Amino acid sequence: MTAERSNHDRTTAEPSGSTHVTGDRSIVAFCCRECAYAAADASANARTSLPPSVRLVLVPCTGRVSPLHLVTALAEGADGVMVAGCLLGQCHYREGNFNAVDRVAFVQRLLESVGVEPERCRMFTMSAGEPPKFVAAVKEMDRVIGALPPLQRHDTSMSEDAGDAAEPAKAAVRTRAATPAKAAAATRGAA
Amino acid sequence: MPLTNRGHEILGRLPTARPRTSSGIGCEIVRHEELCVGCGTCAKNCPSGASRRGDTFDVWQLLDAPAGSRRGALGAALRRIARREPAGPIEVPPRVTVYRTIVYDAELCLGCGTCARNCPADAIEALAPKLSMTGDATPTLPTTGGGAATSSATPNAAAPTLAGAASGEVTP
C-alpha cells in the first residue's frame, strides 16, 4: 500500500483544463480492494499521474462504506468523497456495491436536503483491469469539486446554546422542539 | 395473545422467562414522535406489523439524534456542513434499511404494548384498556366470552380482562 501511495503523493502535475490550484481541496476516495484499489495500483505502476487532491482509502468492499463515513469525511475537511467499486454484478461479495450505490444515493439526498451540492458524493464503478477509467473518474471528480464553491463548516459545538445569533449559518439549523420534548419526557418519567 | 393455561404453567416454572408477545391486548398505544429516534426496535418487535419502517426519512431525526450513537455522529457531521434546514422528508433508496422513519398503522395494531416495553427512548406509551366501571365489576376470562359485560363501554373492550397487565407485566 505504501508504494503506490508514495507514487501518488509525488504527482504534482496539474490536471488539464483545471483553473484552480489543486492543493486547496481534498477528495477522499473509498476504493474497493478487489477492483478500484487494484486499478489505482496499476495506474501508479504505469506512472500515471493522479490529481494531488485525492486521498485513497482502502476498504475491503464498497459495501463497508456507510453514510457515516461519507458525511464524516465531508465534515472533517474533505471537499468531495467518491466511492469506487466493482462493476455492478461483479462484486467480490456478490452485492456489496449495490448497497454502496444506494447508500451514496441516500447521502446525496441527505446533502441536498441540507443545502449542500449532491455532486460532492459520487459513486464510480470499474474493474480491476481499467486503470484509465479510475484515473478518469478521479479527474472528473476533481474537476467537479474544483468548480464548486468551498464547503463551509461550522463549529463542532453545535449544542444547546444555539440562541446566540452571532453566526447565522449556525443558527440556521437549530434543534427542533428540544425543550418541549424533554419536558414531556421528564413529566412522563415522574408520573 | 393471551397465554393458554399450559403456557402460564410453563411460565410459572421458569421465573425469568417472558413470553414473546404480550399477555394482554387492547392497550391504547400513544406514540410521542418528538422523542422517537427511529431506531426501529418497535418495528423489529411488533408482532402484527403495525410499526414498520417507512419509505421516507425525516432528516431531523439525524440532526436531533443524541450524541454517542451512530445516528448522533452522523447528525453532528451533517450539522457541520449544513447550509439550511431540511425542508421535508427524503426518499430512501431500497437498500438503505436503517435510516427510515417509523410508520405506525393503528389499523393493524393489536395493542399488545410490546413496542412500549422495548422502546429505548420511552417514546411509546401503552395505556391500559378502558374498562366500563358501570357494568359488571368482575371481568371474565376471554375464553368464556367476556365481551358481554362491557359491551356498552369502549370499542376495544374485546379483551379487557387483563387490564392489570396493561403495563406489560405478565400476570399468570
Side-chain angles (χ1 to χ4, degrees):
Chain A
M1 175 174 165
T2 56
E4 63 271 17
R5 168 64 61 87
S6 61
N7 255 346
H8 281 156
D9 284 348
R10 273 207 306 272
T11 56
T12 53
E14 193 81 6
S16 60
S18 172
T19 57
H20 290 69
V21 183
T22 55
D24 61 348
R25 59 177 176 265
S26 64
I27 295 169
V28 175
F30 293 94
C31 296
C32 161
R33 181 173 59 198
E34 312 293 336
C35 307
Y37 204 84
D41 205 353
S43 75
N45 285 339
R47 301 204 170 272
T48 317
S49 68
L50 283 181
S53 57
V54 69
R55 300 286 180 274
L56 302 184
V57 176
L58 173 64
V59 289
C61 175
T62 49
R64 180 62 187 90
V65 178
S66 90
L68 182 59
H69 294 128
L70 301 174
V71 180
T72 306
L74 287 177
E76 295 292 331
D79 296 300
V81 287
M82 55 181 286
V83 179
C86 304
L87 297 172
L88 293 183
Q90 295 185 7
C91 177
H92 192 76
Y93 304 97
R94 293 204 173 192
E95 50 186 24
N97 51 1
F98 285 103
N99 290 341
V101 166
D102 276 9
R103 285 173 192 157
V104 167
F106 174 70
V107 170
Q108 284 176 345
R109 290 173 194 177
L110 213 55
L111 293 178
E112 202 172 8
S113 74
V114 296
V116 180
E117 302 87 359
E119 302 87 39
R120 293 189 184 273
C121 178
R122 280 185 69 182
M123 174 96 190
F124 296 92
T125 58
M126 67 208 62
S127 77
E130 297 175 306
K133 201 169 173 183
F134 177 79
V135 176
V138 171
K139 285 184 176 174
E140 161 77 8
M141 194 74 191
D142 188 66
R143 188 184 60 76
V144 169
I145 296 301
L148 292 178
L151 188 59
Q152 292 176 348
R153 293 169 188 86
H154 316 309
D155 283 343
T156 50
S157 60
M158 299 283 290
S159 57
E160 322 305 322
D161 55 353
D164 54 344
E167 200 173 341
K170 182 174 169 180
V173 182
R174 58 182 186 275
T175 54
R176 173 191 59 172
T179 12
K182 280 168 187 164
T187 51
R188 287 196 299 115
Chain B
M1 297 293 290
L3 287 180
T4 58
N5 290 339
R6 169 119 179 105
H8 281 299
E9 181 192 329
I10 293 173
L11 205 63
R13 275 189 267 138
L14 303 169
T16 60
R18 289 282 181 276
R20 287 289 294 265
T21 56
S22 170
S23 60
I25 287 185
C27 299
E28 185 187 348
I29 303 297
V30 179
R31 297 178 61 93
H32 300 273
E33 300 293 341
E34 73 276 6
L35 294 178
C36 178
V37 296
C39 66
T41 309
C42 51
K44 189 169 68 181
N45 290 301
C46 183
S48 70
S51 294
R52 59 183 185 274
R53 298 183 190 272
D55 295 328
T56 60
F57 182 65
D58 186 6
V59 188
W60 278 112
Q61 282 192 344
L62 280 184
L63 299 177
D64 288 344
S69 62
R70 181 173 287 244
R71 275 178 189 245
L74 182 52
L78 202 60
R79 253 173 199 286
R80 289 194 65 185
I81 57 174
R83 288 180 184 152
R84 60 175 168 84
E85 297 186 10
I90 58 173
E91 293 283 320
V92 181
R95 279 173 180 264
V96 177
T97 55
V98 176
Y99 299 105
R100 288 170 181 269
T101 303
I102 304 296
V103 296
Y104 169 67
D105 192 351
E107 293 286 318
L108 296 175
C109 184
L110 304 172
C112 66
T114 308
C115 49
R117 261 204 312 290
N118 289 299
C119 181
D122 288 335
I124 310 177
E125 275 183 294
L127 306 178
K130 292 187 181 66
L131 283 179
S132 167
M133 288 298 118
T134 61
D136 190 358
T138 58
T140 53
L141 286 175
T143 51
T144 60
T150 57
S151 60
S152 65
T154 58
N156 58 355
T161 55
L162 293 173
S167 63
E169 291 305 313
V170 177
T171 56

